[in-house]
Amino acid sequence: MDVRPIGIFDSGVGGLTVTGRVMQVMENEKIVYFGDTARVPYGSKGKDTITRFSCQDVRFLLSQDVKAVIVACNTASSNSLDYLKSTFDVPVFGVVEPGAAEASKITKNKKIGIIATEATIRSGAYEKEIKKADSSIEVFSKACPLFVPLAEEGWCNNEIARLTAEKYLAPLLEKGVDTVILGCTHYPLLRSCIQSVVGENVVLVDPAYETAVRVREYLNKNGMLREENTKAEHKFFVSDTTNMFDRICSEALKENYQATEINIEEY
Ligand code: DGL
C-alpha cells in the first residue's frame, strides 16, 4: 500500500474534468492538482516550450511527494509524455493512448474524428496511437482553439458555442465519422453542445475515464493503491489567481475547493 497522493497537472483548470474521473474511479486516493494558470494555453505553443513547462509541473508535483503523475493535459501528453517518462523516476500516465484505444474499440465504420488544440493535432499523437490499435481506421482531425475560451467563459451551451461547434465539426461530419475524441480537457465542459451538433449517432469519447481506469490498474498491480477508507484529502494549486477555478471546480467536481497559488518558475 502507498498512501501518498496522485499528482495531476494540466495547463490550467481544464484538467479538473480528468480529476473528477480519477476521484470517481479511485475514491480512496488523495490528489494533488496543479493547474498552470499563469502560462495557459499550452495548445498554441511549440513542443520545446510545452516540454519545459511540463517538466516544471512534474517537479512541483514531486515536491508534494506524489506516487504517480497523470498528465491530464492532452497537449502535454501528445508532445512531452515520452520525455517525462524517461526523465522522472515516477510512473507517468498520459491521456492520449487510453483515449485512442477506447475510440478504436467503439468505432463501427472505422472513421474517427479528433478535436483538440493546435499543438495536439500537429503532434499527430492520437492518429499514431489509433493506427497502432487498428491500422485500417481512418482519422480526421480538427483543431478547435475557440472551445477553450468559450468553456472558461462559461459559454458552454449558448448560441455562440453552438455556431462555433457547427463550424468546427462540419468537416468531420462530412467525412462520416461515427466517433469523436474530445482531445482537450476543456471540451467535456461543452459536451452537450458538441453532442447536439454531431447528433446522437456519433459517440463522443472523453479519454479521462479510461485514463483513470488504467492508473487504477497500474496502482493495484503494483500494490500502490491507498486502501485506507478514511476520507481522502485533496490539494489544489495554481500558478496564478484565477476566477475560473471556482466555477470549473464546481462544474467538474461538483464540489468547491480552495486553490493555493505557487510560483512555478521556482521548479
Ligand atoms: N489543457 C489543454 C489540453 O488538454 C487545453 C488548453 C491549452 O491550450 O493549454 O490540451
Side-chain angles (χ1 to χ4, degrees), residues 9-15 39-45 72-78 95 116-120 145 148 152 182-187:
F9 81 86
D10 184 36
S11 55
V13 290
R39 304 187 297 193
V40 68
Y42 285 12
S44 55
K45 297 191 171 68
C73 182
N74 289 264
T75 305
S77 285
S78 54
V95 289
T117 65
E118 293 282 2
T120 298
V148 172
E152 296 209 337
L182 303 176
C184 171
T185 51
H186 282 74
Y187 298 178

Side-chain angles (χ1 to χ4, degrees), residues 5-252:
I6 297 172
I8 302 178
F9 81 86
D10 184 36
S11 55
V13 290
L16 293 171
T17 60
V18 180
T19 306
R21 292 302 199 176
V22 173
M23 287 176 175
Q24 183 192 345
V25 169
M26 291 175 278
E27 53 185 20
N28 287 334
E29 294 297 324
K30 293 187 278 184
I31 289 164
V32 176
Y33 180 85
F34 173 64
D36 196 1
T37 50
R39 304 187 297 193
V40 68
Y42 285 12
S44 55
K45 297 191 171 68
K47 188 179 174 77
D48 290 351
T49 305
I50 296 164
T51 302
R52 183 162 56 81
F53 287 178
S54 300
C55 285
Q56 289 179 300
D57 302 343
V58 174
R59 270 186 231 114
F60 167 70
L61 291 173
L62 290 175
S63 77
Q64 298 295 308
D65 196 25
V66 298
K67 62 183 170 188
V69 170
I70 302 177
V71 184
C73 182
N74 289 264
T75 305
S77 285
S78 54
N79 283 274
S80 315
L81 188 68
D82 291 344
Y83 187 85
L84 298 175
K85 280 186 170 180
S86 64
T87 302
F88 295 101
D89 192 18
V90 65
V92 182
F93 300 90
V95 289
V96 171
E97 198 272 323
E102 179 72 359
S104 306
K105 272 191 264 163
I106 288 171
T107 183
K108 291 199 170 66
N109 71 2
K110 295 188 184 267
K111 289 183 183 186
I112 296 178
I114 299 157
I115 53 174
T117 65
E118 293 282 2
T120 298
I121 299 295
R122 196 179 52 228
S123 76
Y126 269 107
E127 185 160 5
K128 202 172 106 203
E129 292 299 338
I130 290 169
K131 294 280 183 196
K132 245 196 247 173
D134 181 344
S135 60
S136 68
I137 294 175
E138 284 183 272
V139 180
F140 305 96
S141 305
K142 180 77 187 146
C144 306
L146 291 177
F147 279 167
V148 172
L150 281 171
E152 296 209 337
E153 194 60 33
W155 290 8
C156 293
N157 211 356
N158 66 10
E159 205 192 333
I160 296 172
R162 199 184 156 83
L163 284 172
T164 309
E166 281 173 3
K167 183 96 184 149
Y168 279 148
L169 296 162
L172 299 183
L173 293 174
E174 271 165 29
K175 297 290 181 190
V177 299
D178 70 353
T179 307
V180 171
I181 299 177
L182 303 176
C184 171
T185 51
H186 282 74
Y187 298 178
L189 298 164
L190 292 142
R191 188 178 190 123
S192 62
C193 174
I194 295 170
Q195 189 76 67
S196 72
V197 169
V198 296
E200 290 306 318
N201 293 333
V202 175
V203 180
L204 299 181
V205 174
D206 174 3
Y209 182 76
E210 195 53 29
T211 303
V213 169
R214 299 278 183 98
V215 176
R216 185 183 59 196
E217 278 168 10
Y218 177 91
L219 296 179
N220 187 29
K221 204 166 137 206
N222 290 279
M224 290 169 74
L225 282 171
R226 177 181 180 267
E227 276 151 8
E228 288 173 7
N229 49 17
T230 50
K231 190 173 163 29
E233 302 286 333
H234 309 303
K235 288 185 187 163
F236 295 84
F237 297 90
V238 288
S239 50
D240 199 359
T241 46
T242 166
N243 50 14
M244 268 18 134
F245 183 85
D246 294 342
R247 201 188 46 243
I248 310 271
C249 198
S250 64
E251 267 169 49

